[in-house]
Amino acid sequence: MGVVGEVLIGVVVLVGLFGVVVQVLPGGLLVAGAVIAWGVITGGVAGWTVVAVAVLATGLAAVGKYLLAGRHLQRRGVPNSTLVWGGLLGVVGFFAVPVVGLPLGFVVGTYAAERIRLREHGPAWKATVAALQATGLTILVELAGALVATGAWCVGLAVT
């Protein structure tokens, strides 16, 4: 692969890492896709090793983020239906209020669902905070997987 191709892969990796943090793009998949493309095109032991590491890291992160977030929410007593309402209002907010609509809608939807379910402000707010913490956990786990894939690509670049 030429320099232009490697720079293009690097740009997609950077966009993917940004997408992991901002949660507007499927960042982990963008990073994995770019790194896998580089590995397949490059070929050889280095290329296929990078592909294996990227697939493994992205796959483990994808599974791990749901397991950790689910366990966190279960410990706090937040039902899945609450997250569904938060997610739905987050989607509405994404289109209704530019830039901040998605997180704002998620918080409002989660709080409203818990307020209706629990009938009290304090416990509803605690459940909303737990949902936000779980969201932060998913971002961190996905970012870790994407960074491992990125690191494998950087090592692959260095040895080829």
Side-chain angles (χ1 to χ4, degrees):
M1 175 176 284
V3 173
V4 173
E6 290 174 348
V7 168
L8 183 60
I9 295 291
V11 168
V12 174
V13 166
L14 285 175
V15 168
L17 290 172
F18 178 77
V20 169
V21 175
V22 177
Q23 294 288 297
V24 176
L25 302 169
L29 293 177
L30 279 174
V31 171
V35 172
I36 290 168
W38 177 86
V40 169
I41 292 169
T42 301
V45 173
W48 288 106
T49 302
V50 168
V51 167
V53 170
V55 167
L56 187 63
T58 305
L60 287 174
V63 171
K65 71 182 185 178
Y66 291 112
L67 292 176
L68 287 172
R71 184 179 300 156
H72 179 76
L73 292 171
Q74 189 176 31
R75 286 183 191 153
R76 303 293 193 277
V78 180
N80 290 334
S81 61
T82 296
L83 297 180
V84 170
W85 286 111
L88 288 173
L89 261 72
V91 169
V92 170
F94 177 77
F95 292 105
V97 182
V99 183
V100 297
L102 179 63
L104 180 64
F106 178 76
V107 169
V108 169
T110 302
Y111 176 77
E114 284 299 283
R115 176 71 180 192
I116 290 167
R117 183 176 77 89
L118 299 171
R119 296 184 181 9
E120 291 182 45
H121 166 73
W125 183 247
K126 285 182 181 179
T128 302
V129 169
L132 289 170
Q133 290 170 340
T135 301
L137 273 172
T138 64
I139 292 170
L140 288 175
V141 171
E142 186 177 1
L143 182 60
L147 287 172
V148 168
T150 302
W153 174 63
C154 290
V155 170
L157 280 174
V159 298
T160 57

